[in-house]
Amino acid sequence: MQILTLKNGGDTMIFGCHVSIRNGYFGAAKRAADFGAAAYQYFPKNPRSLSVKDFDKGDATSCKEFCQEHNLISVAHTPYSTSLTPSEDKKEITIRSLLNDLEIADTCGSVGVVVHFGSQISKTDPLASYHLMLEMLNSVLSQWNGNCLLLIENNAGTKGALGTTFEELVQVRNLTEYPEKIGFCLDTCHMFASGLWNGENTEEFFAKGEELAYFEHLKVIHLNNSKYPTGSNRDRHANIFQNGLIKEKSLQEIVKSPVVKHIPFVLETPDDEGISHQEEINQLYQKWG
């Protein structure tokens, strides 16, 4: 097993990828380590279901202990159907599902659970979506007292183009009753697709995020290239060094910025288009590590 051990305060980058839990939570951690990863992401349960999972706490605890022993950072991601702006009949099941995700991730020792920013729910009331998001966040976090954070991810701009600016992300966190229980996840494909970052405005991008204190609460970055141009609002991930429209130099400016020096970068790139995640992680360390 190839284990990458990080030195506290060192200059080693923290690269990893999404892994399956088909062999359990402990198995997922070991698989990430086999890849030479220093971080990884996983779905805490079936990614297509909001049902509450009765999970193996012993397996999750073994995962946590393994990660602590090998300085391996983990983060969970909510199922695809999770929404912070659900229909009325999906509110309670979504709240229960989010609490279940947080409990599993906390037992695994994960930094947080990633959830996408909400989408537009009203054509006449532009604030309706934000009000519902705050209601959902307050409902979930009023019942949550673990160490694991809820990590709000920026959107690519589909479904009403909400959650594409630093201002929105920071303001939603600030307006909740429990901002200390919320962090952020930044997706490079999403920020390129939405136009938040176009590959040429890196200095302005970091300056705005620092001004609004966004980066103070950033816990993980999804490192993805994009198959569509900036401003397209199309969320299609590409591999970092092939088939993507974000230039390598532009991504390097993000990855090597001192602002995000100690943030884990987790790949959500295709692993069936000519390069595996293990190979891509090796490339990242060779070029930027």
Side-chain angles (χ1 to χ4, degrees):
M1 180 181 294
Q2 178 186 358
I3 300 291
L4 175 66
T5 302
L6 299 177
K7 296 179 180 179
N8 293 333
D11 293 327
T12 306
M13 298 297 296
I14 307 172
F15 293 126
C17 64
H18 190 100
V19 297
S20 168
I21 62 164
R22 68 170 68 93
N23 294 317
Y25 303 115
F26 185 24
K30 289 190 290 185
R31 182 170 177 80
D34 281 340
F35 284 172
Y40 70 96
Q41 179 177 271
Y42 62 98
F43 287 117
K45 58 194 179 199
N46 185 337
R48 306 192 191 287
S49 172
L50 291 178
S51 61
V52 171
K53 179 178 181 178
D54 183 14
F55 67 102
D56 185 336
K57 291 182 174 59
D59 178 42
T61 300
S62 294
C63 169
K64 179 179 181 177
E65 291 171 350
F66 179 86
C67 289
Q68 289 174 337
E69 181 181 353
H70 298 292
N71 291 332
L72 187 60
I73 299 171
S74 72
V75 61
H77 196 298
T78 57
Y80 296 122
S81 53
T82 305
S83 172
L84 289 177
T85 50
S87 56
E88 188 65 34
D89 62 322
K90 290 287 184 65
K91 278 186 181 181
E92 288 306 316
I93 190 173
T94 300
I95 290 170
R96 290 196 298 271
S97 178
L98 280 165
L99 286 167
N100 183 224
D101 294 338
L102 284 164
E103 182 185 4
I104 293 171
D106 203 46
T107 309
C108 287
S110 301
V111 173
V113 176
V114 176
V115 62
H116 291 159
F117 198 94
S119 56
Q120 189 64 264
I121 61 172
S122 172
K123 294 181 179 180
T124 58
D125 182 0
L127 296 180
S129 298
Y130 300 107
H131 289 155
L132 179 54
M133 279 188 67
L134 291 171
E135 177 189 335
M136 291 292 294
L137 289 167
N138 288 335
S139 294
V140 171
L141 297 176
S142 67
Q143 303 174 63
W144 176 245
N145 294 305
N147 295 316
C148 194
L149 300 175
L150 201 59
L151 307 178
I152 300 176
E153 181 177 355
N154 60 307
N155 283 344
T158 57
K159 299 181 180 179
L162 297 186
T164 61
T165 67
F166 284 135
E167 287 86 352
E168 290 174 276
L169 295 156
V170 170
Q171 187 70 338
V172 163
R173 179 183 182 276
N174 289 343
L175 288 175
T176 64
E177 296 172 6
Y178 308 93
E180 72 281 1
K181 300 181 183 182
I182 297 175
F184 297 120
C185 168
L186 181 66
D187 188 299
T188 56
C189 173
H190 296 180
M191 70 195 204
F192 184 74
S194 70
L196 173 63
W197 173 73
N198 60 23
E200 305 295 332
N201 64 333
T202 302
E203 185 176 343
E204 298 167 9
F205 168 84
F206 279 116
K208 173 59 74 172
E210 287 191 287
E211 176 189 344
L212 295 173
Y214 171 86
F215 291 108
E216 291 181 18
H217 307 290
L218 180 64
K219 302 301 179 183
V220 63
I221 294 175
H222 286 164
L223 184 59
N224 302 305
N225 209 315
S226 175
K227 291 187 176 182
Y228 288 96
T230 186
S232 65
N233 302 129
R234 302 285 297 275
D235 181 13
R236 287 292 302 280
H237 299 181
N239 294 104
I240 302 304
F241 303 112
Q242 61 188 49
N243 304 323
L245 295 183
I246 307 177
K247 297 176 183 177
E248 181 178 326
K249 179 178 180 295
S250 297
L251 276 173
Q252 179 175 317
E253 290 176 347
I254 295 294
V255 172
K256 300 298 287 185
S257 170
V259 177
V260 294
K261 181 177 180 181
H262 299 296
I263 301 295
F265 289 85
V266 176
L267 295 167
E268 291 182 319
T269 51
D271 61 357
D272 58 355
E273 297 184 5
I275 184 171
S276 69
H277 279 151
Q278 183 172 5
E279 291 170 326
E280 203 163 12
I281 289 170
N282 287 336
Q283 284 185 345
L284 289 171
Y285 277 113
Q286 289 168 8
K287 286 177 178 284
W288 298 333

